[in-house]
Amino acid sequence: MKSVRKVRCLKGELRVPSDKSISHRAVILPALAEGESYVQEWLWSKDTLATLNIIRALGVKVRYKNGTLRIKGSNFELSEPQRVLDAKNSGTTARLMLGVLATQRFFAVLTGDQSLRRRPMLRVVEPLRRMRAHLDGREGGDKLPIAIRGGALKGISLFNKKASAQVKSCVLLAGLRAEGITEVYEPYLSRDHTERLLSAMGVKLISYDGKDGRVVKLEGGQTLKATEILCPADPSSAAFFTAGAVLLEGSEILLKDVLVNPTRDGFFRKLREMGAHVQYENLREISGEPVADVYVKYSGGLKAVDVHPEEVPSLIDEIPILAIVMAHAQGVSTVRGAGELRVKESDRIKAIVENLRRMGAKVEEYEDGFSIEGGTPLRGALIKTYGDHRIAMSFTIAGLTAEGETQIDEPECVAVSYPNFFQDLERLTC
Ligand code: S3P
């Protein structure tokens, strides 16, 4: 249990830990390449360690020296793991690694923690079966543990109607060793880190706006070349401090080296639409990704906003913290088309609605989102995190703005993406 109380403001400079999505890919793709890759500023967290441990269990040599991960690529010659592979709490690990395992002729079993074993996997199992990999698991293959034997794949064309980067990445990774063309369509562009890194590693990718949305295509049999990657700071982690600074009078912070890829920075854009002072400084490109220092100041008189379905992919992981900002804005804010939140690390719609109500906010729940009538001052409450890191961090920030004491029930779950969250928050608190 962690106790949180109202603070005056947030002040200072902070480089939040590196991007989780990029850090997963920064070990998975180099593990498949020819030659040795070097990764700097890699994120050490529970989720990304799950990926690293699986990569090692598949025979890939990874060393860590002087702040650099050195990954000896296998050029797709992985070895059969002797134990069950454990993706722990990480959906990205499970789904991307199933795509990798599908390229291999050996037998492997993948599992995860209690939360991950409840999350849907058919979205990757079905396309991989269509590519001719053999997969079996609980509930017809929808739930982990899943057993897989791959090899001799055939390219497919997939319409990815939920615009999921995990599904897209899984199928593209399998497509690298499939016969012919593999293509993925999505109604809106989901995060494109896999495509950016594949291109940087010499893979020829074709992506364009098709009539049903975005298309990305590749031809099987291409080799990945080793590369150097510098991981930028995670906008999803930066979002918590950004919200805190916007809401607490007198705050002023600078968040360094933040990834501002347009498929990821929807939260910052939404805050600006609400009238918040969030500014990108020193915009530059690092390892093929746009990066900026984000300057944030207290912003009074925030206006309510709506999040529309097509905007959801660019801020999907920030919706819990956006909900906290919405609770402080004047008017009714809504989020729709975000049903995916129900199958994240927890049912995030339920967790947001339930915990905000406990804090006294006026919230309505929908199957695919919620609406919040902002402006009622929040009061401290007991927060049920459901073991979900983003719920824990979002409601810690809510607690900083509330009267009385807020208690967070499983604060240690922040280690999934941000092991030093509470220490960093303490440092910025004035
Ligand atoms: C991720 C993709 C998103 C996101 C998750 C990380 C990724 O999920 O919510 O936290 O690294 O590819 P979906 O692909 O299911 O939308």
Side-chain angles (χ1 to χ4, degrees):
M1 199 71 80
K2 170 105 188 157
S3 166
V4 182
R5 285 188 175 274
K6 200 168 186 148
V7 298
R8 270 195 23 240
C9 62
L10 299 183
K11 267 210 164 105
E13 246 184 59
L14 176 68
R15 199 271 186 200
V16 298
S18 290
D19 190 68
K20 186 153 78 68
S21 290
I22 292 181
S23 295
H24 283 298
R25 289 156 174 84
V27 291
I28 296 174
L29 271 63
L32 305 174
E34 204 174 50
E36 191 170 37
S37 293
Y38 305 101
V39 183
Q40 281 178 315
E41 297 283 0
W42 191 72
L43 168 68
W44 294 91
S45 70
K46 284 202 169 165
D47 265 21
T48 47
L49 263 177
T51 294
L52 184 63
N53 288 336
I54 291 178
I55 288 296
R56 283 183 161 144
L58 296 173
V60 177
K61 295 271 171 294
V62 184
R63 283 183 305 142
Y64 183 66
K65 219 177 135 189
N66 302 331
T68 304
L69 273 185
R70 292 154 194 264
I71 304 164
K72 277 227 166 80
S74 66
N75 198 15
F76 284 94
E77 297 206 355
L78 300 170
S79 15
E80 185 170 86
Q82 293 174 23
R83 283 174 286 112
V84 171
L85 304 170
D86 190 355
K88 304 271 170 80
N89 190 243
S90 172
T92 305
T93 307
R95 298 194 178 115
L96 269 59
M97 287 314 301
L98 284 172
V100 171
L101 292 169
T103 66
Q104 304 292 310
R105 288 179 186 277
F106 57 66
F107 172 75
V109 180
L110 185 78
T111 192
D113 71 4
Q114 207 184 10
S115 146
L116 192 59
R117 290 196 309 271
R118 281 197 296 261
R119 295 177 64 186
M121 294 294 149
L122 222 44
R123 54 185 66 197
V124 292
V125 167
E126 260 175 356
L128 292 175
R129 281 178 177 156
R130 278 178 55 212
M131 296 177 88
R132 297 188 183 163
H134 301 280
L135 295 102
D136 206 354
R138 292 189 304 124
E139 299 181 25
D142 190 34
K143 302 282 155 59
L144 298 175
I146 287 174
I148 177 167
R149 189 185 290 279
L153 301 181
K154 217 174 126 23
I156 56 164
S157 174
L158 175 74
F159 188 75
N160 179 20
K161 64 176 179 305
K162 286 192 177 139
S164 156
Q166 294 178 354
V167 174
K168 171 175 65 177
S169 302
C170 167
V171 170
L172 291 176
L173 287 169
L176 286 167
R177 275 294 165 278
E179 194 191 303
I181 305 267
T182 293
E183 56 186 0
V184 181
Y185 293 76
E186 44 187 5
Y188 329 111
L189 182 62
S190 63
R191 62 191 67 192
D192 60 357
H193 311 304
T194 302
E195 294 97 300
R196 285 175 189 251
L197 192 50
L198 282 174
S199 302
M201 296 176 81
V203 171
K204 287 209 183 68
L205 273 183
I206 312 164
S207 53
Y208 55 92
D209 286 312
K211 79 170 170 24
D212 297 319
R214 297 284 306 187
V215 188
V216 49
K217 271 185 188 196
L218 59 77
E219 180 151 18
Q222 301 187 57
T223 304
L224 278 70
K225 291 189 194 65
T227 187
E228 286 181 29
I229 304 165
L230 177 60
C231 303
D234 196 329
S236 303
S237 296
F240 303 112
F241 300 97
T242 305
V246 161
L247 296 176
L248 294 165
E249 205 165 335
S251 297
E252 189 176 10
I253 59 171
L254 185 67
L255 299 162
K256 305 279 284 181
D257 308 336
V258 181
L259 172 76
V260 292
N261 177 318
T263 64
R264 293 288 302 283
D265 76 340
F267 173 73
F268 299 134
R269 284 186 271 126
K270 229 2 132 188
L271 286 191
R272 280 190 215 116
E273 203 181 312
M274 298 176 88
H277 192 108
V278 177
Q279 201 173 306
Y280 294 166
E281 292 179 352
N282 191 16
L283 195 62
R284 57 211 186 268
E285 198 175 293
I286 296 180
S287 300
E289 294 276 0
V291 171
D293 301 330
V294 181
Y295 174 72
V296 190
K297 245 177 32 178
Y298 166 70
S299 315
L302 294 175
K303 302 185 294 278
V305 272
D306 295 324
V307 173
H308 303 286
E310 68 277 13
E311 297 174 313
V312 167
S314 74
L315 47 68
I316 179 83
D317 295 337
E318 289 68 70
I319 291 176
I321 186 63
L322 183 60
I324 307 300
V325 182
M326 287 171 160
H328 287 275
Q330 287 308 317
V332 178
S333 293
T334 60
V335 174
R336 296 312 292 256
E340 271 298 294
L341 289 179
R342 295 210 180 266
V343 290
K344 292 290 179 189
E345 287 85 326
S346 68
D347 176 343
R348 285 185 176 158
I349 294 179
K350 177 171 168 231
I352 290 167
V353 170
E354 177 183 315
N355 286 312
L356 269 179
R357 279 188 185 148
R358 286 175 175 219
M359 297 186 86
K362 293 187 189 137
V363 193
E364 210 175 316
E365 178 172 357
Y366 311 119
E367 193 44 41
D368 66 342
F370 49 83
S371 66
I372 302 175
E373 189 182 328
T376 311
L378 297 183
R379 53 168 193 267
L382 172 64
I383 300 302
K384 272 181 87 171
T385 62
Y386 297 95
D388 184 330
H389 57 137
R390 301 209 195 277
I391 298 298
M393 292 187 274
S394 299
F395 280 89
T396 297
I397 300 297
L400 300 182
T401 69
E403 284 306 330
E405 186 186 14
T406 295
Q407 289 183 310
I408 309 288
D409 74 353
E410 287 178 70
E412 59 287 346
C413 66
V414 302
V416 157
S417 60
Y418 198 157
N420 290 324
F421 172 72
F422 293 108
Q423 289 90 321
D424 284 353
L425 184 58
E426 184 114 326
R427 211 165 56 69
L428 289 192
T429 300
C430 43

